[in-house]
Amino acid sequence: MPASMLLTNVRPAGGPTTTVLVRDGRIAVVGKGAKADSVDVVDAGGALMLPGLVEAHTHLDKTLYGMAWYRNEVGPRLIDKIDNERAMKKKLGIDPARQSARQVVLSVGHGTTHIRTHVDVDTEVGLAGIEGVMRTRERYRNIIDIEIVAFPQSGLLVRPGTVELMEEALKMGAEVVGGLDPSGIDRDPKGHLDAIFGLAERHGRPLDIHLHEAGELGAFAVELTIERTKVLGMQGRVTLSHAFCLGMPDPVAVGALIDGLAEAGIHVMTTGPASRPAPPVKRLVEAGITVCSGNDGIRDTWGPYGNGDMLERAMFVGLRNNLRRDDELELALDVCTHGGARVMALADYGLEPGCRADFVLVDAETVAEAVAGRPPRKLVVKNGRIVARDGRAIVEAP
Amino acid sequence: MPASMLLTNVRPAGGPTTTVLVRDGRIAVVGKGAKADSVDVVDAGGALMLPGLVEAHTHLDKTLYGMAWYRNEVGPRLIDKIDNERAMKKKLGIDPARQSARQVVLSVGHGTTHIRTHVDVDTEVGLAGIEGVMRTRERYRNIIDIEIVAFPQSGLLVRPGTVELMEEALKMGAEVVGGLDPSGIDRDPKGHLDAIFGLAERHGRPLDIHLHEAGELGAFAVELTIERTKVLGMQGRVTLSHAFCLGMPDPVAVGALIDGLAEAGIHVMTTGPASRPAPPVKRLVEAGITVCSGNDGIRDTWGPYGNGDMLERAMFVGLRNNLRRDDELELALDVCTHGGARVMALADYGLEPGCRADFVLVDAETVAEAVAGRPPRKLVVKNGRIVARDGRAIVEAP
């Protein structure tokens, strides 16, 4: 199948109905001049065309999706969930290659064309997670792009040997250095941040730090992150994931953090969590900060929720941030598309001529309706080729 | 079609596979003794059987579902939304009979068997909303039960004539007296609450009060409501909807309110709102308070969200309250089934022999999976008759 097609009767980003020519895996012409130049013609039936959805934060290696239902009886603390998960990986036989493949196929069906996944690296699982997800990445390389964050889920300094494993993961093919709650888990904010910034500097890699720490403790970690980002010239290459502390009630403190993040060019990832303080998305975007989103863990030992749908995630971001106006829902979608693309530094992303032909068609009148209604994806195109129809990927999961 | 059937290969509430005999619109036998006594046999294929979902708070009269997409450009205040809505009812031609019918058919497809709907009564729309929803109630009386709250959406005392219209609505067929933000809208908490409790007392009706007022202002309204409920002996017949003030950060103040509500037998309705303080569902239930839920407005001039699915609403309640364990997700479903049934004082509700045969079949291993995954409703039965299959009602919407 050639990576070319002529899409007729389509509305890019909810604009007027037009014609789009895809040639050699790229959007070649939009509107006048888009002709059926010996390529397949696909009548979009008036569908809305959105850029490929960007899942900028998930954990492909440890979803239980497709396995027997896991009865969750885990304790309430963060460390309960981390310890339980390490034990369950063995007990349940969570195979990273198989499970990541299942989630990827699910995501493709929902129109996701790019994924940034955090993959556990620790002294028990070693690099098995990285290896498994790399096999999945290779297997599905023609239908989705996957970026891997080497993620010290069980702590970095508290588990000697983990830094070395992280180095190894980066050499194997992980692109991004991960970090996690420098005070809450490693009990040493300076030590943890110096270690991960050191890894990032030595290997010339971006950073993505899970920061669940709330209130002033989280704010302190944000300050330390801003300082290091500026000193090392890493502006535009550092992401804070979750950043619950940006949802703390002190508007003056939050304002200062937002200013600092904007100045240091640090990105923020939020899932739009309903039960936690959360970064105020509109304010961040207005301050010039790039905000992305992701589904986080899907049906895993941490929690039962999630289906891999980034349009549903845009809805969650909207609901959490009380976004009701159409322009606000368009912002929520932007977070789940262009925001993620900027965080992952994707080249040629979008619906303009010259961009990679990564896009999604849905039956919806407007972008706002697509977010609120989450209609099934009619067609998903990756690199100019159809990879999913009517909500289902054209490939099978293991 | 007789209101009788033999369901084989079914798992009530996720328990062991069994057989259920439905006869004359009721669950007659569960397990041994359930035989095909000249009735239709329906093989449930191992599906989970849940009691009919209870939508205990919505606004049937003003959904825009099925109409052209409404571009929301409304201001941020509560009064902006109220004023805009009154204007849009005329401008867009929101017909209460047609629109309520559309939402009802959608809800039936999602397995809702009972609805409590608040219907606007004001000096502009008059009783047109009540009349329209009553027509819908009559039209679909065999497939769903609808209870009507006469709701003074635009204020009671600030709009002279509204009390009289409320009286009229109750005489016409509305069962419940509604109230709304006694300070925020009517600017007179004592006056508003005296008026609606007076209506309830004179007509011998239950009360359901929209209380968006947050923090101490809301807490004051809760106190006044508790006082009146006890004095008038209305325990078990008063519901506070939304009750955002129960999510305020002061645990001592919230504890006192919860104790007071429990003592007065006042119910609480929460949608599990992601962007607002919210009643802590587990704590309320542990204190003995009946908690119910609802989808509130579905795709209306207030906001674009909602699809009428009470399993999705159970998920929202779970997400908002950080419910992750299986027993916690079972609680979320209980809120959307038995909780609503208690608030609406439904007789013979449940899956036990003798109960009305109002139930839903879904393909899910466990109740928790049904809540987290929201699978399409395989079969919906009301009064012993099939009213929806595979997510679609057997009747058409106008």
Side-chain angles (χ1 to χ4, degrees):
Chain A
M1 187 172 57
S4 301
M5 66 175 76
L6 185 76
L7 269 178
T8 61
N9 206 8
V10 70
R11 292 179 301 121
T17 305
T18 186
T19 301
V20 174
L21 179 66
V22 170
R23 194 187 283 137
D24 302 329
R26 290 185 182 265
I27 293 172
V29 185
V30 176
K32 278 183 191 170
K35 297 208 184 80
D37 185 18
S38 77
V39 296
D40 291 343
V41 177
V42 176
D43 183 346
L48 198 65
M49 179 186 195
L50 306 173
L53 301 172
V54 181
E55 165 74 84
H57 185 112
T58 190
H59 296 268
L60 289 181
D61 54 321
K62 48 194 190 182
T63 179
L64 301 175
Y65 183 76
M67 295 175 66
W69 184 256
Y70 167 69
R71 185 166 177 88
N72 186 319
E73 296 174 327
V74 187
R77 297 171 307 163
L78 184 59
I79 197 70
D80 295 332
K81 296 178 176 71
I82 293 173
D83 289 347
N84 174 68
E85 178 177 64
R86 237 181 12 261
M88 284 298 150
K89 274 185 185 166
K90 281 183 195 161
K91 193 173 166 196
L92 301 177
I94 307 175
D95 178 72
R98 182 193 64 210
Q99 291 309 113
S100 57
R102 287 176 176 171
Q103 185 176 329
V104 160
V105 172
L106 183 69
S107 293
V108 167
H110 288 313
T112 294
T113 54
H114 299 81
I115 293 178
R116 170 178 280 191
T117 179
H118 298 253
V119 180
D120 288 2
V121 173
D122 66 53
T123 52
E124 278 183 39
V125 76
L127 298 165
I130 301 280
E131 286 161 7
V133 175
M134 284 183 67
R135 281 210 297 280
T136 290
R137 166 156 76 182
E138 183 56 27
R139 177 174 180 170
Y140 297 108
R141 60 196 290 268
N142 290 324
I143 68 163
I144 195 160
D145 288 321
I146 298 173
E147 183 183 58
I148 296 174
V149 185
F151 176 49
Q153 170 76 78
S154 295
L156 193 66
L157 307 181
V158 287
R159 293 200 154 241
T162 307
V163 173
E164 293 73 14
L165 286 165
M166 294 275 287
E167 299 254 20
E168 201 56 42
L170 296 172
K171 286 180 197 156
M172 281 169 63
E175 288 92 349
V176 183
V177 177
L180 171 70
D181 290 338
S183 299
I185 301 294
D186 262 359
R187 327 301 291 171
D188 178 1
K190 177 183 187 303
H192 180 90
L193 290 168
D194 283 349
I196 57 173
F197 271 94
L199 276 170
E201 197 191 8
R202 280 200 300 285
H203 294 268
R205 303 300 176 85
L207 253 177
D208 193 329
I209 306 168
H210 276 66
L211 186 64
H212 307 95
E213 293 165 6
E216 279 69 15
L217 185 62
F220 177 56
V222 172
E223 290 170 7
L224 296 183
T225 301
I226 291 169
E227 289 162 14
R228 282 160 180 73
T229 301
K230 288 159 99 174
V231 167
L232 295 175
M234 283 188 65
Q235 291 87 343
R237 292 168 60 77
V238 176
T239 303
L240 283 174
S241 282
H242 302 303
F244 296 144
C245 62
L246 296 178
M248 69 186 191
D250 180 342
V252 177
V254 170
L257 293 176
I258 290 175
D259 290 346
L261 290 169
E263 202 190 316
I266 294 174
H267 315 311
V268 171
M269 189 301 298
T270 181
T271 63
S275 66
R276 300 299 303 267
V281 167
K282 255 181 108 170
R283 255 191 91 189
L284 266 60
V285 169
E286 282 162 6
I289 296 170
T290 293
V291 179
C292 64
S293 187
N295 284 302
D296 205 356
I298 290 176
R299 198 175 283 206
D300 59 19
T301 64
W302 292 66
Y305 303 104
N307 61 8
D309 184 356
M310 286 302 298
L311 267 189
E312 179 165 292
R313 184 56 51 186
M315 177 189 74
F316 285 133
V317 169
L319 286 168
R320 180 65 183 88
N321 290 273
N322 199 20
L323 308 181
R324 294 166 178 249
R325 296 164 51 107
D326 280 50
D327 57 353
E328 294 174 329
L329 271 74
E330 288 160 11
L331 171 64
L333 182 71
D334 197 70
V335 162
C336 296
T337 52
H338 290 277
R342 282 197 295 279
V343 167
M344 291 174 65
L346 302 180
D348 305 333
Y349 176 87
L351 297 179
E352 307 299 311
C355 291
R356 303 290 323 167
D358 298 341
F359 57 81
V360 186
L361 302 187
V362 288
D363 279 327
E365 248 181 275
T366 62
V367 167
E369 185 181 9
V371 171
R374 304 151 281 152
R377 302 324 103 87
K378 202 170 175 177
L379 206 70
V380 183
V381 171
K382 174 71 183 168
N383 288 327
R385 290 192 170 87
I386 293 169
V387 295
R389 278 181 199 279
D390 301 323
R392 295 186 66 87
I394 56 164
V395 294
E396 291 293 319
Chain B
M1 185 173 58
S4 301
M5 67 175 75
L6 185 76
L7 268 178
T8 61
N9 207 7
V10 70
R11 293 179 301 120
T17 305
T18 188
T19 301
V20 174
L21 178 67
V22 170
R23 195 186 285 138
D24 300 330
R26 289 185 182 264
I27 294 174
V29 186
V30 177
K32 278 183 191 168
K35 294 205 185 83
D37 186 17
S38 77
V39 297
D40 291 342
V41 177
V42 176
D43 183 347
L48 198 66
M49 180 186 195
L50 306 174
L53 302 172
V54 181
E55 165 73 85
H57 186 112
T58 189
H59 296 268
L60 290 181
D61 54 320
K62 47 195 192 181
T63 180
L64 302 175
Y65 183 76
M67 295 174 67
W69 185 255
Y70 167 69
R71 185 168 177 88
N72 186 318
E73 296 174 328
V74 188
R77 297 171 308 162
L78 185 59
I79 198 69
D80 295 333
K81 296 178 177 70
I82 293 173
D83 290 346
N84 174 67
E85 179 178 63
R86 240 185 5 263
M88 285 298 151
K89 273 184 186 168
K90 283 184 196 161
K91 193 172 166 195
L92 301 177
I94 306 175
D95 178 70
R98 182 193 64 209
Q99 290 310 112
S100 58
R102 286 176 177 171
Q103 184 176 328
V104 160
V105 171
L106 182 69
S107 293
V108 168
H110 288 312
T112 294
T113 54
H114 299 81
I115 293 178
R116 171 178 280 190
T117 179
H118 298 253
V119 179
D120 288 3
V121 172
D122 67 54
T123 51
E124 278 185 40
V125 77
L127 298 164
I130 300 281
E131 286 160 8
V133 174
M134 283 184 68
R135 282 211 296 281
T136 290
R137 167 156 75 180
E138 183 55 28
R139 178 173 181 171
Y140 297 109
R141 59 197 290 271
N142 291 321
I143 68 164
I144 195 160
D145 287 323
I146 299 174
E147 183 182 57
I148 296 174
V149 185
F151 176 50
Q153 170 77 78
S154 293
L156 193 65
L157 307 181
V158 288
R159 292 196 156 245
T162 306
V163 173
E164 292 73 14
L165 286 165
M166 293 277 287
E167 299 253 21
E168 202 53 44
L170 295 171
K171 286 179 198 157
M172 281 170 63
E175 288 92 348
V176 183
V177 177
L180 171 70
D181 291 338
S183 300
I185 301 296
D186 261 358
R187 328 302 289 172
D188 178 1
K190 177 183 186 304
H192 180 89
L193 289 168
D194 283 348
I196 58 172
F197 271 93
L199 276 170
E201 197 191 8
R202 280 200 300 286
H203 294 268
R205 303 300 177 86
L207 253 177
D208 192 330
I209 307 167
H210 276 66
L211 185 62
H212 307 95
E213 294 165 4
E216 280 69 14
L217 185 62
F220 177 55
V222 172
E223 289 169 8
L224 296 183
T225 302
I226 291 170
E227 290 162 13
R228 283 159 179 73
T229 302
K230 287 158 98 173
V231 166
L232 296 175
M234 284 189 63
Q235 291 88 342
R237 292 168 60 77
V238 177
T239 302
L240 282 174
S241 282
H242 303 303
F244 296 144
C245 60
L246 296 178
M248 69 187 192
D250 180 342
V252 176
V254 170
L257 293 176
I258 289 176
D259 291 347
L261 290 169
E263 202 189 317
I266 295 175
H267 314 311
V268 171
M269 190 301 297
T270 179
T271 63
S275 66
R276 300 300 301 266
V281 167
K282 255 181 107 168
R283 257 192 89 188
L284 266 60
V285 170
E286 282 161 6
I289 295 170
T290 294
V291 180
C292 64
S293 188
N295 284 302
D296 205 356
I298 289 176
R299 198 175 282 205
D300 58 21
T301 64
W302 292 67
Y305 303 105
N307 62 7
D309 184 356
M310 285 303 298
L311 267 188
E312 180 164 293
R313 184 55 53 186
M315 177 188 76
F316 285 133
V317 169
L319 286 168
R320 180 63 183 87
N321 289 274
N322 199 20
L323 308 181
R324 293 165 178 249
R325 298 164 49 108
D326 280 50
D327 57 353
E328 293 175 330
L329 271 73
E330 289 160 12
L331 170 66
L333 181 69
D334 197 69
V335 163
C336 296
T337 53
H338 291 278
R342 282 196 297 279
V343 167
M344 290 174 65
L346 302 180
D348 307 332
Y349 176 87
L351 298 180
E352 308 299 313
C355 290
R356 303 290 323 166
D358 297 342
F359 57 82
V360 187
L361 303 187
V362 288
D363 280 327
E365 249 182 275
T366 62
V367 167
E369 186 180 9
V371 172
R374 305 151 279 153
R377 302 324 104 88
K378 201 168 174 176
L379 205 71
V380 182
V381 172
K382 174 72 184 169
N383 289 328
R385 290 192 171 86
I386 293 170
V387 294
R389 281 181 196 278
D390 302 323
R392 293 187 67 88
I394 56 163
V395 294
E396 292 293 320

